[in-house]
Amino acid sequence: MRYFAGIDVGSLSADAVIINEDRVIVAYAILPTGNNSRRAGTDAFDAAVARAGIDPSQVTAVVSTGYSRDRVLQAGESKTEIACHAKGAHFLFPDVGTVIDIGGQDSKAIRVGPRGRVVNFAMNDKCAAGTGRFLEVMAAALQVPLGEMDQLAAQSTEELTISSICTVFAESEVVSLISRGKTPADIAQAVCRAIARRTSGLVTRVGVAERVLMTGGVAKNRAVVALLSEQIGHPIQVPEEPQIVGALGAALFASETRAA
């Protein structure tokens, strides 16, 4: 049995997926990138290989993607995040038409065509506004664990607005709202709404298809998903593990490269 790997090294997490020659996912790993993206890619690969119960020598080909894709030692080639997210999403949902990915440092909307081909895309990579880093900074300002932001937002009773696009100024707005006695729940909801508002513009630019899928770590925030769905006027689906879609796409590219 041959195996193929995809490694997605982003600014916040390094994700690796192992698939077999039948294109079945046999293992994956999600680790924090930390301050050494090269080591993070290696650690994610090693963890996924260990979970698959195979030897690294059994991995026939490796493709990298993500923010630090050129620093992945195991990769024979690299692919863009856009191409990998489209391919991974199409594999999981063959009728997907629009993919929304919010990563640690950027956000993007991708229009997907037949066979997972990228038809169009729009990307915000100029600042951290509306990204995972934005959410992380705001959670820290509220002194709330990042993974609990959506639960907190669900308790909101007053609609507040965070108008600043810049992460630094938005953080100042959060601090100001705290000093005015606004509840953490209402502020958390405002933060999630700001991310949804920022991202909806990208989606509008590429168009909303029948099946919309959201990937990336922020897709685990149910409040952001619900508010974004409301903003674009269309239901959004989230894969069982949204963080590995890019790495999955890279692994699929690896299997095709070998086949060619």
Side-chain angles (χ1 to χ4, degrees), residues 67-244:
Y67 194 71
S68 298
R69 60 182 177 272
D70 294 331
R71 290 178 57 78
V72 177
L73 297 175
Q74 294 78 10
E77 67 173 305
S78 64
K79 295 286 185 179
T80 68
E81 297 168 76
I82 303 294
C84 288
H85 277 275
K87 194 165 194 68
H90 178 265
F91 177 80
L92 296 173
F93 297 89
D95 60 343
V96 68
T98 303
V99 177
I100 304 166
D101 175 66
I102 303 182
Q105 297 283 12
D106 61 38
S107 53
K108 42 199 170 287
I110 310 164
R111 190 62 186 267
V112 183
R115 299 182 299 280
R117 182 173 58 88
V118 176
V119 175
N120 190 19
F121 72 91
M123 186 172 184
N124 162 41
D125 61 354
K126 302 302 182 186
C127 69
T131 67
R133 178 59 180 162
F134 179 90
L135 190 61
E136 187 178 59
V137 170
M138 302 312 152
L142 285 170
Q143 297 183 7
V144 174
L146 183 61
E148 297 178 13
M149 281 287 281
D150 58 344
Q151 301 169 43
L152 183 62
Q155 302 169 32
S156 174
T157 57
E158 179 185 359
E159 183 172 322
L160 304 177
T161 299
I162 293 176
S163 57
S164 297
I165 293 176
C166 172
T167 300
V168 175
F169 292 142
E171 183 181 15
S172 296
E173 281 193 67
V174 167
V175 172
S176 176
L177 289 169
I178 292 171
S179 68
R180 287 164 49 195
K182 298 301 181 180
T183 70
D186 292 333
I187 299 172
Q189 179 81 337
V191 168
C192 294
R193 186 179 295 107
I195 293 174
R197 186 174 65 247
R198 176 80 169 180
T199 307
S200 66
L202 297 177
V203 180
T204 300
R205 284 164 59 186
V206 303
V208 179
E210 184 61 29
R211 168 96 73 168
V212 180
L213 193 72
M214 187 167 171
T215 64
V218 177
K220 294 181 177 180
N221 184 305
R222 290 167 294 181
V224 171
V225 175
L227 289 164
L228 182 53
S229 177
E230 182 181 298
Q231 286 274 340
I232 67 174
H234 199 282
I236 297 173
Q237 288 185 274
V238 178
E240 182 178 347
E241 181 41 82
Q243 277 186 260
I244 66 168

Side-chain angles (χ1 to χ4, degrees), residues 18-97:
I18 307 291
I19 63 173
N20 63 22
E21 59 191 34
D22 296 323
R23 308 213 316 169
V24 174
I25 299 173
V26 295
Y28 66 84
I30 301 171
L31 300 176
T33 300
N35 60 6
N36 189 325
S37 57
R38 177 169 291 174
R39 184 174 61 200
T42 295
D43 289 347
F45 174 75
D46 289 345
V49 165
R51 291 171 188 174
I54 62 176
D55 188 87
S57 63
Q58 293 177 263
V59 179
T60 304
V62 181
V63 169
S64 64
T65 189
Y67 194 71
S68 298
R69 60 182 177 272
D70 294 331
R71 290 178 57 78
V72 177
L73 297 175
Q74 294 78 10
E77 67 173 305
S78 64
K79 295 286 185 179
T80 68
E81 297 168 76
I82 303 294
C84 288
H85 277 275
K87 194 165 194 68
H90 178 265
F91 177 80
L92 296 173
F93 297 89
D95 60 343
V96 68

